[in-house]
Structure formats: structure tokens, C-alpha cells
Amino acid sequence: MSLVTLLPFIVLIGAMFLMTRSAKKKQQQAANMRNEMQPGSGVRTIGGMYATVKEVNDDTVLLDAGPGVDLLFAKNSIGAVLTDDEYNRIVHGIEHDLKSDADVVPDDASSLTESDAATDAASDDQPVDLGKKDADDEPAGERTADAAPAEAKADEQAKKSDGGSEAK
């Protein structure tokens, strides 16, 4: 047999070796993690339940899932051993301050905008001018020459839509 025909088999055997080696490493890490469990540790099972380790035996673990609820699990059903901070954050909702100088995020949006008392007083006294003016607000002398023809056209269209003699 030539080297060209053996090459695919060699590559296949090498890939299988690497995959099994990787899987074996992961299993070893999981076994070490489960062996390091101690009473009082917070854990997550492979089913997603969070509990506290009460007692560790050779193949089993007794978990405290709540007041008066003790559950017996197989050791290999423990998915992760959590740190105290992570367990308290997930189960009890207690956040551990990693940064004591961190800014506090407010619950409402009103405190996100910075406004002075002078700005608040000015905004309460005067209406906001959006640049649009009504014809009634302008003095008669300031009306432009274009305003009169526009009013005349509006009157003509109103007469046409009244259903007068022109509509018949």
C-alpha cells in the first residue's frame, strides 16, 4: 500500500485520539470539581436546581434545597460548584459590591437629566416657542400681502363645498 492510501486513515485515527483526549480532560476536571465540594458550598445540579451542600459521601451528595427540604443526589449530577458570591447573587439576589466607588444607576429617568433650578423656573413661566404662529396671534399690521389672497382662496373653497348652486 502506498502512503497516499494510508494518509486518510492516519488523519482519522489522529482526530479520534485528539477528541477522546479532550473529552477525558473535561471529565477529569468535572470529577475534580465534584471531589472538592464541601458542606456549605453552593451548587447547581445538571437539572438547573440551586442548593447548598449539606453532606458529601463517596457517590452521593445531600443537598439542602430549602427549609426542611433535603435531597439526595448522585455526585455526577452536580453541574457546577459555585462561589459564595455567585450563589448569593443567583439564589438570594444579593449583589456583592466589587467596586465601592461605582456610580449608582437610578431607578427612574428623571434623575438622569441634570437641570438647574433656574432652568426649571424659566421653563414653567414661559411657553415653548416652536416657531409656528397663528394668524390670530399676529397684529393686523404685521400680516403679509400673501395672507389676504390665501384667506380669499379658503373662502372660495368653503363656498364650493357648501352644496350651493354650483354643485348642482
Side-chain angles (χ1 to χ4, degrees):
M1 290 182 118
S2 70
L3 184 63
V4 174
T5 55
L6 289 178
L7 188 63
F9 293 113
I10 294 171
V11 169
L12 185 63
I13 291 171
M16 289 174 53
F17 173 74
L18 291 176
M19 285 191 290
T20 56
R21 187 174 145 207
S22 164
K24 195 177 252 188
K25 269 187 175 181
K26 287 182 183 180
Q27 287 177 347
Q28 186 65 32
Q29 287 175 345
N32 288 340
M33 180 248 333
R34 289 182 188 115
N35 288 333
E36 292 175 5
M37 277 189 297
Q38 297 175 354
S41 301
V43 296
R44 182 185 71 233
T45 65
I46 58 173
M49 184 182 72
Y50 292 92
T52 305
V53 176
K54 196 169 186 180
E55 182 180 315
V56 179
N57 297 322
D58 291 336
D59 294 330
T60 60
V61 178
L62 185 64
L63 300 178
D64 181 18
V69 180
D70 292 339
L71 304 168
L72 186 64
F73 275 83
K75 248 188 184 180
N76 59 359
S77 67
I78 303 300
V81 177
L82 308 172
T83 63
D84 290 338
D85 292 337
E86 186 177 12
Y87 181 78
N88 287 331
R89 180 183 58 81
I90 293 170
V91 176
H92 302 294
I94 300 170
E95 292 289 333
H96 178 69
D97 280 342
L98 296 176
K99 297 179 183 177
S100 60
D101 298 336
D103 293 335
V104 177
V105 177
D107 290 337
D108 60 340
S110 64
S111 61
L112 293 176
T113 58
E114 294 182 23
S115 60
D116 297 334
T119 308
D120 291 341
S123 64
D124 292 340
D125 293 341
Q126 299 174 352
V128 176
D129 181 23
L130 298 176
K132 184 176 178 182
K133 295 191 178 200
D134 294 334
D136 299 336
D137 293 343
E138 293 181 8
E142 290 184 14
R143 287 190 184 170
T144 60
D146 295 335
E151 289 175 7
K153 287 181 184 178
D155 289 340
E156 288 177 22
Q157 288 183 356
K159 288 178 186 177
K160 287 181 183 179
S161 63
D162 285 343
S165 61
E166 294 175 5
K168 291 180 183 178

